[in-house]
Structure formats: C-alpha cells, structure tokens
Amino acid sequence: MTGRFAPTPSGRMHIGNVYAMLAAWLSARSRGEHMLLRIEDVDKPRVIAGADQLMMDDLRWLGLDWDNAEPLYQSRNTERYIYALECLRSVQWGDASDVAARLPADAARTSGSGLHDSCKRPQRDMHDAEDVSQNLPRNTDDVSHIVSQLLPDGVCAEGPQASDVLYPCFCSRADIRAASAPNEGDGFMVYPGTCRRLLREHPDEVRERLARGDRHSLRIAMPEKKLAPMMHGIALSAPAKPAAAMPVMPMTAGDVPATGIAAATAGGPVDREADCGGFGGNRHDEGQPLGGDGIRGVTAMFDDAVYGPQTYDLPHDIGDSVIRRADGLFGYQLVVVVDDLDMGVDDIVRGRDLLRSTALQMWIRHCLLAGGFKPEWNANGRGLGASSAPDENSPRCETATCPIHANDGIPAAMSSVFRPGTLGMASAGHWPSPSAPAYVHLPLIDNAAGRRLAKRERSLDMGALRARGVDPEQIIGYCAWLLRVRPTPEPCTAAELVPDFSWAPLRATHPDRALDPTDSATPAWLAEALSA
C-alpha cells in the first residue's frame, strides 16, 4: 500500500493540517509502506507563491518524511488530465455485453457495468491520445485552448451524444441554486441535470450553443437507475486474495454518515475544504457483497476505517459533477483520481468532509478505467516518483523501530491496521489497490467557536507556532492525542508513534474536536496561541 500527502499551497499549514498529515504518515509507515508527496496546485487562483516550499520545510521539521525525490505538482501534470478527458470521452452508456471486451484485462474477467467504448463512432485511439498528451508542455498555463483542440465542441468531434458519460453544461451557479434543493438537509446541492436533459431532448440546440462558443463546463454523468440491472457487480482490477487466505465477508447493515462538500458548479472553484454539516442516515443492503471497485449498480459503497460502512446513491446523493470548469481549469475531483492512479496510491487519509467526494471519485475512477486509462504507476509497479527503494538522501524516521527501515519499504505482512473485509476497504474480499483504495476519514478539528480551522487563522499556523518557540514534538504529541493514538497530549516524535499505531481507538469514538483554550487538556503553548 502507498499513502500520500496532498497539501494545497494556499497558505501555511495549521494544526488541523498537521493532524491529517500525521494520520496519513502513520497509516503508511506503520505498515512499512511508501509515502508520496503531491502539491495540489491545480486551482491556480488559490495558490500562494512559496507556500509549497514552506509546507515541505514544516513537514521535515515535524519529522514527516516522504519517498519521492521530487513531489508531483498538479500544475505540471496537464497532459495527464487531458489524456483522462480523452479516456472519458470514449465512454458511453451501453449494454452489458459490450463492456468486458473493452475494459482493462483485470476488469474483463467480470461483466455488467453498463458502460462501453464508443467503438462505432469516429474517435482518436487511446494510444494516439497518449501520444498527443505526452507532447504537451507539463506546466501549461492556459489549458482551455488545448482541451478545445482535442475536444472541439467540449465532448467529441461530431458533437455530444445523449449516451456520452461526459456532457457540456451551460448552467451558472445561480441557475443551479434556483433549480436545486439541499440534499438530506446537509447543504450539499445535487445538480438537477438541466443540461443533461437539454442534450437528450434538444441535441441540436446544444450543438448550436457549442458552435457559437457559449461558455460551458464539462460534467460527468452519474448512472441512471434504469441501467442498474446491467451495471450490477462490476469489479475493476482489484487483486483478490485466495478465498482460503481471505474469505469474502459481506458488509452488514449500519448507519452511514452522509456529510457533504461544497458542490462543484459550472465556472466556479471546487471548495474541497468546506464542511457542509452533519450526518444523514442511509443503510446498505444487509449481507450484500461488493464488486472490486465498490460500484454496484447506481451505488458506491466503501468501508471507512473510522466511520464504517458508507453507501451513496450516485444519482440521488452525488449528481452529475463538474470535472472541467468553464474557465478551462480541470476540476479537483478529476485530477485527484488521475494523480492517485498515476502515483499508485491505495491508502487515502483525509477529513470526513470528503466522505461524499469519495463516492464521486470512485465513480470517476470506474469510468476512467472503463475508458482505457493507463496509470503511469503500472510501468514499474510503484507509485509515480517512488524509487524501487527509499532514497537514502531523503528524510527518514530516526529510530530503528520504524518498520520502514527494517523492511526497506516492503511490509512482511499486512498488519491489523487494515483487516480485509472490515476496515478501510472499498470492497470486502479485496486487498486495497490503486483501482480500489482503502479509505480513512478523520473527525474535523474546529476552533473554539465551533468553526472548522482555516489557514486564515494565522496564530495556529506553523510559522506562528515556530516563531513562538513551540517544539515539533509538542505539536506531534497534541495531534497524536487528537487521533486517539496517545491518551494524553504529551510531546513525542512521529517515529515513536509508529510501533503501536492503530485506527481502532478513533473508530470507537470519533466526534469532531474543538481547540478550546479553557479545556484542561489544552497544552499551555496552544492555549496561548489560541488566545493571541
């Protein structure tokens, strides 16, 4: 398994960021696995010059190391996102008999996704798409004209089809707000499908609007309920263990948190850091086994290591989502899936406000692989940027008890951190893989007023804390306490936490935590910073 840091360089890291980074690092290092660094700078208007270097310096200061010598910058990865759009462009709704022959080899052993390659339409071969993308500059500043060359009308050469999994959306934010209602009371706005119906009922109007250059985003369509029978049980390239070693364990019914994220709307940035409130109540079918990638019919299902079994009805709970914005920038939901596939990431740790995003990303991953997407990590079996052995010059744990030293990055056996069929799995009965990762979502850290910590709260960022003389061990110890790894917030190093790390205590109790200067458990250094 491979984990990743994925910070956005929009400011200095704060306590909440460190808490999540420590969790991701411990998840990987406790199994002796690789940890990779990615700088998520795809949303250029939010990027602050030099913030990436400060983040890397803070991570080193905290003792949180990574294995790729050069971090992956999303802003330099444009050609991969264009290639991903090409792969999605080749996917259409179709009958189940077509899908097996056109999916990757592992997926061809199963059947029934309801998606197929549009083989009867004039289109660019996927190998050609790779050749085109590899010849593009890595740090393209203006991608809109390049996308328009590959996708002349935003979708395909002869115009968008109602059966395409991608379609153009002309709606403004105001249009979407006026036509939508908050889903399940959590503030998440599910797109009402206005432009999908327009394409189905008035395709000539759509082509005319595209021909005159009307501003539009690209949305990925969710599966429709009428296709559910033909999509039942698809499994994409998740390596199954022999039944004797790891029996398929059906998921059992349970309450499922249904938190939201800010909706990705046409022409606007995706605010992946927004907390959209509390939990709703959904249940999945008792005893229902999952396909390899967690997509079953119109449902995305995964077993989170902290919050337990999760079930999302894709058309009802998620809705058609923007993957390329109207300003030409690629949507976060697309690029993070592409990057995780390319880096070989199969251990994803992040805040609980992204639980709903996980379902969307599972569907995007499902469609990408159905469209022939070839992850770069397959070239050497390791994550993009990770060497075959850890770089001796990269920062490492400074203790012999850290299993990354003993095993040279390869665990002797999977530990109890993830138990097949129980914790963190996209699918019971499958080991995590980049096509079916393990997921861990963390309780949020709020300020004393009950609002989620933000980078604008400068008194809690690493620059301010370091200037106050706070030691890295003090910060790590407090974050370990927030993660329930330690019973008290006593100072310690990150490496000291590795041998006994487990998700079990956090899974047992996981309310959101508030940084309260009046709390007796709050260390003096943090109380002073909170009161500043």
Side-chain angles (χ1 to χ4, degrees):
M1 295 176 69
T2 296
R4 42 85 157 165
F5 297 129
T8 298
S10 56
R12 201 75 181 257
M13 290 198 305
H14 56 61
I15 286 284
N17 301 133
V18 176
Y19 153 85
M21 300 279 191
L22 175 63
W25 187 88
L26 287 172
S27 185
R29 295 313 197 202
S30 64
R31 297 185 312 277
E33 293 290 357
H34 280 85
M35 190 71 190
L36 303 180
L37 175 62
R38 176 169 79 231
I39 304 298
E40 297 200 333
D41 58 347
V42 68
D43 193 351
K44 293 183 180 179
R46 299 180 62 213
V47 172
I48 295 177
D52 57 331
Q53 298 301 318
L54 290 173
M55 285 177 167
M56 286 186 271
D57 181 66
D58 287 336
L59 287 171
R60 294 187 183 100
W61 180 73
L62 291 163
L64 303 179
D65 61 324
W66 59 93
D67 298 310
N68 46 334
E70 293 293 331
L72 174 69
Y73 283 80
Q74 290 179 335
S75 61
R76 304 172 188 172
N77 211 29
T78 298
E79 83 283 1
R80 293 298 294 172
Y81 309 142
I82 294 173
Y83 166 57
L85 283 182
E86 278 284 279
C87 292
L88 291 174
R89 183 182 70 85
S90 73
V91 178
Q92 285 187 298
W93 303 111
D95 60 45
S97 62
D98 266 352
V99 68
R102 295 178 176 84
L103 287 176
D106 286 343
R109 290 193 289 269
T110 66
S111 63
S113 78
L115 299 174
H116 73 88
D117 189 310
S118 53
C119 57
K120 297 179 181 178
R121 303 167 61 202
Q123 62 179 39
R124 189 176 286 105
D125 182 83
M126 285 298 101
H127 297 291
D128 295 336
E130 286 184 297
D131 293 340
V132 170
S133 68
Q134 289 169 2
N135 290 328
L136 294 170
R138 293 192 66 85
N139 60 343
T140 307
D141 290 326
D142 181 7
V143 302
S144 57
H145 71 285
I146 295 176
V147 174
S148 67
Q149 290 172 15
L150 289 174
L151 312 175
D153 56 21
V155 182
C156 63
E158 75 278 17
Q161 309 293 310
S163 56
D164 291 338
V165 76
L166 288 188
Y167 67 89
C169 177
F170 306 97
C171 296
S172 66
R173 289 186 178 187
D175 293 335
I176 295 169
R177 282 195 297 268
S180 303
N183 185 55
E184 300 295 335
D186 67 2
F188 181 84
M189 305 295 287
V190 175
Y191 179 64
T194 307
C195 287
R196 189 174 183 179
R197 288 192 300 273
L198 180 67
L199 178 59
R200 181 178 295 136
E201 298 168 6
H202 305 285
D204 290 341
E205 179 182 341
V206 172
R207 295 185 184 102
E208 288 172 6
R209 295 186 67 173
L210 291 170
R212 66 174 180 253
D214 285 8
R215 183 180 174 90
H216 65 278
S217 62
L218 288 181
R219 288 186 181 270
I220 186 168
M222 295 298 110
E224 295 180 302
K225 292 186 182 295
K226 66 183 180 182
L227 293 174
M230 68 177 66
M231 295 183 64
H232 192 71
I234 182 69
L236 293 179
S237 65
K241 284 289 189 180
M246 191 182 70
V248 174
M249 300 176 65
M251 299 177 74
T252 58
D255 291 325
V256 177
T259 61
I261 59 167
T265 54
V270 178
D271 185 4
R272 56 190 180 276
E273 296 183 353
D275 169 27
C276 294
F279 297 138
N282 290 326
R283 292 178 179 269
H284 54 72
D285 295 337
E286 187 169 354
Q288 184 183 58
L290 297 181
D293 67 351
I295 300 296
R296 187 178 182 86
V298 299
T299 305
M301 293 180 275
F302 61 98
D303 193 4
D304 187 76
V306 170
Y307 287 95
Q310 306 292 300
T311 300
Y312 290 91
D313 181 302
L314 290 167
H316 179 266
D317 298 331
I318 309 300
D320 300 352
S321 300
V322 170
I323 60 169
R324 198 210 73 194
R325 289 164 30 175
D327 59 7
L329 293 179
F330 294 99
Y332 165 77
Q333 305 291 0
L334 171 67
V335 302
V336 72
V337 174
V338 171
D339 293 341
D340 283 342
L341 283 169
D342 277 348
M343 298 175 80
V345 170
D346 52 8
D347 181 18
I348 297 174
V349 181
R350 53 195 181 186
R352 68 153 179 86
D353 54 325
L354 293 174
L355 276 164
R356 191 191 296 268
S357 265
T358 294
L360 170 57
Q361 290 165 20
M362 289 168 67
W363 176 245
I364 293 172
R365 183 181 291 107
H366 180 94
C367 293
L368 277 173
L369 295 174
F373 182 86
K374 297 179 181 178
E376 289 188 341
W377 78 281
N378 279 332
N380 57 15
R382 292 184 178 271
L384 182 66
S387 58
S388 58
D391 183 354
E392 63 182 11
N393 297 318
S394 66
R396 310 298 304 161
C397 311
E398 296 180 358
T399 172
T401 62
C402 181
I404 198 75
H405 282 296
N407 300 325
D408 197 27
I410 307 299
M414 288 286 286
S415 73
S416 61
V417 175
F418 290 110
R419 298 192 300 276
T422 55
L423 298 185
M425 300 299 183
S427 167
H430 290 80
W431 293 107
S433 72
S435 60
Y439 295 104
V440 186
H441 290 81
L442 306 172
L444 300 183
I445 306 303
D446 300 328
N447 60 21
R451 293 187 298 271
R452 187 179 177 211
L453 285 181
K455 289 176 180 175
R456 61 179 174 270
E457 299 183 61
R458 300 293 174 83
S459 65
L460 296 178
D461 73 30
M462 290 300 101
L465 293 177
R466 293 175 70 170
R468 285 176 171 272
V470 178
D471 294 328
E473 294 81 7
Q474 292 175 299
I475 297 171
I476 291 294
Y478 183 72
C479 290
W481 175 72
L482 292 174
L483 289 167
R484 304 286 199 272
V485 178
R486 287 289 176 94
T488 60
E490 297 301 318
C492 64
T493 66
E496 289 170 345
L497 301 170
V498 169
D500 299 322
F501 175 73
S502 170
W503 291 117
L506 195 61
R507 184 178 173 101
T509 175
H510 42 258
D512 289 351
R513 305 291 288 270
L515 304 184
D516 185 353
T518 66
D519 189 330
S520 60
T522 302
W525 61 267
L526 181 56
E528 292 173 4
L530 288 166
S531 301

